[in-house]
Amino acid sequence: MLSFLAIFATVFLTAQVAEANDALAKIKERGYVRIGVFSDKPPFGYVDKNGNNQGYDIYFAKRIAKDLLGDESKIKFELVEAASRVEFLVADKVDIILANFTHTKERARVVDFALPYMKVSLGIVSPEGKVIKNINELKGKKLIVNKGTTADAYFTKKHPDIELLKYDQNTETFGALLDKRGAALAHDNALLFAWAKENPGFIVGIESLGDVDAIAPAVKKGNKALLEWINNEIIELGKENFFHKAYDATLKPIYGDSVNPESLVVEGGKL
């Protein structure tokens, strides 16, 4: 009985590995790639007034489809929330996550990250006139974050004494700040710089907090063939300065000259 179970387990695991390694072939056979992106995080991933996906991540996603399948339109965008990104990969709902996904040790235990294409750190935005410039100023106040983000993890671990208001979607999170439900909001600084420019009366009082983190594509755990393809793609795109072009096309119109692109852009997967 035990030998039968051992054989069954071996066969099952072998089949899983074969399935994962064959994912690249399955995408080509299917004729389109499924990519998880944000719908509410401009200028990185959002849906415009015409119902089209736009942003820095979308610019990259289209190039992936072009180089993998010969046509940038051969994508099925799956809209995800911050807390659902891992779930979409584990459940095989998408092939790739390109949703401003920060590489962390915890996430790397359940998904596989490719090389980075961007870097970011946390920031804190708050109302003008009541600007939070130091974490100590948050004591006794409520801080707004998205569930399942690096901001959520950072404050839960490093500052458990600060009360967190957690929301699933960016629209809810920033709506809570506009409605004054919290004293400030913590999120990726790159997003906050853009949001503050479009929302007069708010200031990014803490521009950088914690470590500088890598933003990278992610695939299902064990999906080696697709992971290697993405890594090679990022290296090759670096030779043509692709991600600086993506910055100029999608982020610079928002930031203007207020943000140095070198503080965000990663070329060739090299931080």
Side-chain angles (χ1 to χ4, degrees), residues 69-138:
L69 299 168
D71 187 339
E72 70 172 26
S73 69
K74 291 185 176 181
I75 307 174
K76 182 181 180 183
F77 288 117
E78 296 287 352
L79 305 183
V80 300
E81 297 171 3
S84 69
R85 290 172 293 189
V86 169
E87 175 195 333
F88 267 65
L89 282 175
V90 172
D92 198 30
K93 295 179 180 179
V94 297
D95 302 302
I96 306 168
I97 286 288
L98 275 186
N100 214 237
F101 207 13
T102 306
H103 185 156
T104 67
K105 291 180 180 179
E106 292 76 15
R107 291 169 180 167
R109 294 190 183 102
V110 288
V111 303
D112 283 336
F113 283 96
L115 294 172
Y117 63 98
M118 188 175 151
K119 55 190 174 182
V120 70
S121 59
L122 294 177
I124 294 180
V125 65
S126 48
E128 191 174 14
K130 295 183 179 179
V131 180
I132 299 295
K133 296 182 179 180
N134 188 291
I135 290 180
N136 291 330
E137 296 172 5
L138 288 168

Side-chain angles (χ1 to χ4, degrees), residues 130 132 137-143 161-164 182-183:
K130 295 183 179 179
I132 299 295
E137 296 172 5
L138 288 168
K139 291 182 179 178
K141 300 175 182 176
K142 296 177 181 179
L143 177 65
D161 55 324
I162 294 175
E163 183 180 355
L164 301 181

Side-chain angles (χ1 to χ4, degrees), residues 22 50 64 70 79 130 146 148 160 166 199 227 240 252 257:
D22 197 41
N50 296 317
I64 287 175
L79 305 183
K130 295 183 179 179
N146 279 65
K166 303 181 184 183
N199 290 269
L227 184 68
E240 62 182 72
K252 190 172 182 179
D257 296 325

